[in-house]
């Protein structure tokens, strides 16, 4: 994979210096609604010179099955546009950009998700991806696109390293108060994916409930249970990060991660209440809760934290640096 990546760089544009990344990022941004709305913004903003950065191309598997070679920064602009609201604080957008860039390069260098492309545009598999034209057609503004693209450009080329290697910069929407240790979710301990507090994102995605009839509950679980629902639930253990570790249901043990998948719960932080005919889950947080909390990052930024502080909080022990292809 590494060799393939290096060949791509060499064949595409190794050594080429891009004079204006934002202009490049907005290439093709000249038809339909986007063009009509361009008059709202001073034209020179789109073409302003930015820091010179060596161009890196990555293979991106689009939703139509085509694999296209994209400039890394163009791709990251579109990931950030899709991943978080443009209304986020700029420092939170910058933190998201660094996380997404690091995640992307790590996938390119060592990933095996897609034989035909290093990263895809499906958020359920890799990362969310949004073209600015589509964003504007659905009600977004050019000013929002510009804000996101500027934030990405301000961090151009910056990635996170741990022990000299690109980190697996996982992220998610909201921690519900505390992030989770990678070992609790994926089984492998990762030194920089440990439990950290995320108190400021508390209001996002907390207190969400989902109710199943007793029949639906048993169908999803694939079991037949006797008695009233309140009698089905036994002992619960919790992870260090506050999620459900194991829960006994009908005499059988289930992991919180498995239950989250079976019942499509927003996170593994949940409580269960029952009636005679139903089971209700109430969740806190949204996502696997390992790594950077997007809403937590925004909350930190609102309170005055810069993007480096945010990244070092959610990925403890890592180091922010310009990407160096020779280190991997
Ligand atoms: Zn993918």
């Amino acid at each position: 994979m590494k060799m393939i990546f290096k060949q791509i760089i060499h064949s595409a544009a190794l050594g080429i210096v891009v004079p204006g990344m934002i202009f490049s990022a907005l290439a093709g941004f000249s038809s339909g609604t986007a063009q009509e709305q361009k008059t709202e913004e001073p034209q020179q903003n789109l073409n302003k010179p930015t820091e010179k950065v060596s161009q890196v191309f990555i293979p991106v598997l689009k939703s139509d099955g085509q694999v296209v070679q994209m400039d890394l920064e163009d791709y990251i602009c579109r990931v950030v546009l899709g991943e978080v609201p443009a209304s986020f604080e700029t420092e939170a957008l910058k933190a998201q950009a660094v996380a997404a860039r690091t995640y992307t390069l790590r996938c390119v260098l060592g990933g095996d998700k897609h034989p035909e492309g290093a990263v895809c545009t499906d958020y359920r598999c890799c990362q969310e991806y949004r073209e600015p034209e589509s964003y504007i057609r659905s009600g977004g503004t050019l000013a929002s696109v510009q804000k996101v693209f500027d934030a990405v450009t301000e961090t151009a080329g910056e990635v996170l390293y741990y022990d000299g290697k690109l980190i697996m910069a996982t992220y998610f929407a909201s921690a519900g108060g505390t992030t989770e240790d990678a070992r609790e979710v994926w089984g492998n301990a990762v030194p920089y994916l440990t439990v950290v507090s995320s108190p400021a994102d508390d209001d996002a995605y907390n207190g969400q409930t989902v109710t199943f009839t007793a029949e639906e509950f048993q169908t999803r679980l694939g079991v037949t249970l006797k008695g009233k629902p309140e009698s089905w639930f036994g002992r619960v253990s919790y992870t260090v990060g506050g999620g459900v570790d194991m829960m006994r249901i009908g005499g059988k043990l289930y992991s919180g991660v498995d239950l989250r998948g079976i019942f499509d719960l927003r996170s593994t932080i949940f409580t269960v209440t029952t009636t005679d005919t139903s089971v209700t889950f109430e969740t806190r947080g949204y996502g696997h809760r390992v790594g950077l909390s997007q809403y937590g990052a925004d909350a930190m930024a609102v309170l005055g934290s810069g993007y480096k502080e945010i990244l070092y909080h959610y990925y403890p022990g890592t180091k922010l640096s310009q990407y160096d292809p020779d280190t991997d």
Side-chain angles (χ1 to χ4, degrees):
M1 207 60 197
K2 179 178 174 182
M3 287 305 294
I4 292 169
F5 178 60
K6 294 217 166 181
Q7 282 167 7
I8 289 163
I9 297 174
H10 281 285
S11 62
L14 185 64
I16 293 176
V17 173
V18 184
M21 187 172 307
I22 197 71
F23 180 71
S24 166
L26 284 163
F29 200 74
S30 59
S31 61
T33 312
Q35 175 68 12
E36 288 156 23
Q37 295 199 4
K38 243 181 185 176
T39 52
E40 292 177 4
E41 293 292 314
Q43 183 67 32
Q44 62 268 28
N45 280 358
L46 300 180
N47 299 325
K48 70 180 181 184
T50 55
E51 187 182 351
K52 292 181 178 181
V53 175
S54 293
Q55 202 165 17
V56 174
F57 280 79
I58 55 161
V60 178
L61 174 62
K62 295 290 191 72
S63 55
D64 62 2
Q66 298 268 339
V67 175
V68 297
Q69 301 297 325
M70 282 191 73
D71 174 273
L72 174 64
E73 300 300 330
D74 287 355
Y75 169 73
I76 297 301
C77 282
R78 286 153 176 79
V79 169
V80 177
L81 190 62
E83 278 287 345
V84 290
S87 58
F88 268 19
E89 294 287 320
T90 294
E91 294 302 307
L93 297 174
K94 288 161 70 176
Q96 173 69 67
V98 172
R101 185 181 297 108
T102 308
Y103 181 90
T104 299
L105 286 167
R106 173 78 179 240
C107 286
V108 169
L109 292 164
D112 54 4
K113 282 183 175 177
H114 310 290
E116 64 277 70
V119 281
C120 76
T121 55
D122 184 345
Y123 76 95
R124 291 164 297 188
C125 175
C126 291
Q127 300 176 103
E128 184 59 278
Y129 177 96
R130 197 80 191 266
E131 291 287 357
E133 295 88 342
S134 155
Y135 179 83
I136 286 172
R137 269 199 304 274
S138 59
T141 65
L142 185 58
S144 293
V145 173
Q146 187 73 62
K147 179 186 174 188
V148 169
F149 283 21
D150 280 350
V152 173
T153 304
E154 282 179 44
T155 70
E158 291 183 350
V159 290
L160 288 167
Y161 287 99
Y162 184 91
D163 206 13
K165 289 183 165 39
L166 285 168
I167 73 163
M168 181 49 77
T170 57
Y171 56 84
F172 56 90
S174 175
T178 312
T179 70
E180 192 56 275
D181 192 296
R183 180 167 42 192
E184 303 281 11
V185 178
W186 296 309
N188 298 317
V190 181
Y192 49 84
L193 297 177
T194 54
V195 174
V196 301
S197 67
S198 188
D201 68 353
D202 258 358
D203 290 338
Y205 298 115
N206 282 344
Q208 303 278 338
T209 61
V210 56
T211 298
F212 297 91
T213 66
E215 289 72 28
E216 287 172 335
F217 181 84
Q218 294 173 84
T219 301
R220 287 236 185 178
L221 213 51
V223 296
T224 303
L225 301 169
K226 294 176 181 168
K228 292 183 177 178
E230 68 175 340
S231 70
W232 297 346
F233 296 90
R235 195 178 65 83
V236 184
S237 60
Y238 297 92
T239 65
V240 180
V244 169
D245 179 25
M246 303 297 289
M247 177 176 270
R248 189 173 287 278
I249 306 173
K252 188 178 170 188
L253 274 177
Y254 297 87
S255 73
V257 172
D258 285 345
L259 290 173
R260 181 181 174 225
I262 291 168
F263 294 102
D264 295 320
L265 304 177
R266 288 191 154 177
S267 90
T268 59
I269 307 181
F270 59 83
T271 55
V272 176
T273 53
T274 60
T275 69
D276 285 353
T277 57
S278 68
V279 176
T280 296
F281 293 94
E282 179 174 335
T283 56
R284 293 171 59 83
Y286 195 3
H288 50 62
R289 299 172 47 247
V290 179
L292 178 136
S293 165
Q294 293 170 326
Y295 277 85
D298 189 49
M300 283 184 72
V302 168
L303 294 172
S305 293
Y307 75 107
K308 288 184 191 175
E309 188 183 342
I310 294 168
L311 290 164
Y312 289 165
H313 174 73
Y314 284 107
Y315 304 113
T318 61
K319 189 172 186 319
L320 187 75
S321 179
Q322 275 289 320
Y323 175 59
D324 179 359
D326 294 329
T327 61
D328 276 287

